[in-house]
Amino acid sequence: MDIGTKLRAIRKQRGLSQRELAARAGLTNGTISLIEKNKTSPSVASLKSLLDAIPISMAEFFSNLEETALSKVFYRADELTVVSPTGDQQVTLRQLGNAEAHALQVLHETYPPGADTGPELLSHDGEEAGIVVQGAIEVTVDGVSETLNAGDGYLFDSRLPHRFRNTGKETCIVISACTPPSF
Amino acid sequence: MDIGTKLRAIRKQRGLSQRELAARAGLTNGTISLIEKNKTSPSVASLKSLLDAIPISMAEFFSNLEETALSKVFYRADELTVVSPTGDQQVTLRQLGNAEAHALQVLHETYPPGADTGPELLSHDGEEAGIVVQGAIEVTVDGVSETLNAGDGYLFDSRLPHRFRNTGKETCIVISACTPPSF
DNA sequence: TTATGATGTTTAATATAATTGTCAATTCTG
DNA sequence: CAGAATTGACAATTATATTAAACATCATAA
């Protein structure tokens, strides 16, 4: 398996010393030395601690996957790209970055009074969640409706049919997130 | 981590007894019992032997750690559970639902003036994104800092070291999302 | 019932992982 | 350069994973 050299490679790459990594992981430098020289096979608990401290996931560690190219991190308010899933909506959806390159899609949603995503099935894989920031909105998920006010939130499996309607008089703003991106 | 129940689930699914798996892996049934009941954390060498005998790869084993149990959909503002990743922060993190059961973690974050997540690496797998709802906050990702105001957002790979600091005089509120949940 | 076989659990003994303390080699700093 | 700090490695001790064997439970059959 040779997890030793792999661990060492990753640690060096991040510019960490054995002692520093040990401190973060709650282990000792000696242990890391032994592991890296394959003189011992760490418990998965220990390895998990080390990988958490680097940080890198177990799955990633064991699946030789390489670095993901990263791009833009910060987005000014006017840089959120407007997306319109259904075309003619009054609903304004403003998206953070381009969803296709990411596992996470975050939207700034504006619902003027009367806005309605319509009854059509907005179903897709993954999960969907959000928190109301301003105003109120009626959310219907799998036939169940609730009116959420500022501070309230929702979280559901995206495969359930869902609908958003602003039945109030004030414009409603919701920050939502999907994974994976639905459009 | 609970690799115990995961291992047991896979073993049962393949119709293997502890003894039979033990024989194939060159271990003992007692060891498997202890591992499955999380009474011990096996060495990666032992776990590798077990997974080879099933057979299933390490990467596969650790990438399937997610369960799906969905229930609650709507959350009132006072139902958001306060989580404190670092313990003594002034930062208030209020979470939608319980992250462990979901692929998506959404937080309502409150940063009073001076609040700081600290320089330690808040790193984990997946992606992380958010939009500032009120106030302003200085976000540092991989050494690069920007001050984001209401309406601005961020989106980055969670493995990059990151830090949030409210350097202004107004309390800052951010709605953020991670996938998968980081704590 | 009693026996037989297969299952998962527990316990004392043993093997091994992890810590502690220390060392030489290296890299900073003045 | 000297001195201090940092690095990775090693031996001895401590902690823990693993073993081997016994135990309990649930079947099914004689």
Side-chain angles (χ1 to χ4, degrees):
Chain A
M1 275 225 79
D2 194 21
I3 70 171
T5 49
K6 186 183 290 184
L7 176 63
R8 167 160 297 189
I10 297 175
R11 178 178 61 80
K12 293 275 192 187
Q13 178 192 329
R14 307 285 175 118
L16 293 169
S17 69
Q18 290 182 343
R19 279 181 163 81
E20 183 167 356
L21 178 58
R24 292 186 191 174
L27 298 176
T28 65
N29 59 312
T31 299
I32 296 180
S33 177
L34 293 173
I35 294 173
E36 288 185 348
K37 292 185 75 68
N38 289 314
K39 290 192 171 299
T40 189
S41 178
S43 69
V44 311
S46 297
L47 182 61
K48 179 71 163 54
S49 300
L50 288 170
L51 298 189
D52 282 349
I54 283 182
I56 181 179
S57 77
M58 293 287 249
E60 201 172 350
F61 182 81
F62 285 110
S63 67
N64 292 324
L65 287 190
E66 259 332 318
E67 303 311 307
T68 59
L70 10 123
S71 41
K72 194 166 170 60
V73 171
F74 302 105
Y75 298 86
R76 289 298 159 188
D78 58 12
E79 291 181 304
L80 302 196
T81 57
V82 175
V83 294
S84 43
T86 50
D88 58 0
Q89 297 300 343
Q90 317 139 280
V91 185
T92 303
L93 301 183
R94 296 164 60 242
Q95 177 178 286
L96 209 54
N98 67 322
E100 299 181 8
H102 296 279
L104 192 56
Q105 178 186 44
V106 172
L107 297 174
H108 182 288
E109 310 182 350
T110 305
Y111 297 83
D116 185 353
T117 60
E120 85 278 11
L121 298 182
L122 287 177
S123 299
H124 29 260
D125 267 358
E127 285 189 337
E128 195 163 337
I131 293 181
V132 177
V133 168
Q134 178 189 110
I137 194 160
E138 180 197 86
V139 183
T140 306
V141 176
D142 202 21
V144 181
S145 296
E146 287 245 8
T147 297
L148 302 179
N149 301 296
D152 298 344
Y154 59 88
L155 171 57
F156 56 83
D157 189 307
S158 294
R159 287 168 301 194
L160 298 174
H162 45 285
R163 176 180 192 171
F164 294 81
R165 258 195 302 184
N166 185 351
T167 57
K169 291 186 165 59
E170 183 188 359
T171 293
C172 178
I173 295 179
V174 177
I175 308 291
S176 78
C178 307
T179 174
S182 55
F183 50 85
Chain B
M1 273 225 82
D2 194 21
I3 70 169
T5 48
K6 180 73 197 300
L7 175 62
R8 168 160 296 188
I10 295 177
R11 179 178 63 78
K12 293 272 191 186
Q13 180 191 327
R14 307 286 176 115
L16 293 169
S17 70
Q18 289 181 344
R19 280 181 166 81
E20 182 168 354
L21 179 58
R24 292 189 193 174
L27 297 177
T28 66
N29 59 315
T31 300
I32 296 180
S33 177
L34 293 174
I35 294 173
E36 288 186 348
K37 293 184 74 72
N38 289 314
K39 289 192 170 296
T40 188
S41 179
S43 69
V44 310
S46 298
L47 183 60
K48 179 76 163 55
S49 301
L50 289 170
L51 298 188
D52 283 348
I54 285 182
I56 180 179
S57 75
M58 291 287 245
E60 206 171 343
F61 182 83
F62 285 109
S63 61
N64 283 347
L65 284 177
E66 60 222 337
E67 308 296 325
T68 47
L70 4 132
S71 44
K72 196 166 171 58
V73 170
F74 303 105
Y75 298 85
R76 290 298 160 186
D78 58 11
E79 291 182 306
L80 302 197
T81 57
V82 175
V83 294
S84 45
T86 48
D88 58 358
Q89 297 300 342
Q90 320 139 279
V91 185
T92 303
L93 302 183
R94 296 164 60 241
Q95 178 178 284
L96 208 55
N98 67 322
E100 299 182 8
H102 295 280
L104 191 56
Q105 179 184 44
V106 171
L107 297 174
H108 183 288
E109 311 182 348
T110 304
Y111 296 84
D116 186 353
T117 60
E120 83 278 14
L121 297 181
L122 289 176
S123 300
H124 28 260
D125 265 4
E127 285 190 337
E128 196 163 339
I131 293 182
V132 177
V133 168
Q134 178 189 109
I137 193 158
E138 181 196 87
V139 183
T140 306
V141 176
D142 203 20
V144 181
S145 296
E146 288 246 5
T147 297
L148 302 180
N149 301 295
D152 298 344
Y154 60 87
L155 170 58
F156 57 83
D157 189 307
S158 295
R159 287 169 304 191
L160 298 174
H162 46 287
R163 175 182 193 170
F164 294 81
R165 258 195 304 183
N166 185 352
T167 56
K169 291 185 166 59
E170 182 188 0
T171 294
C172 179
I173 294 179
V174 177
I175 307 291
S176 77
C178 308
T179 175
S182 54
F183 51 85

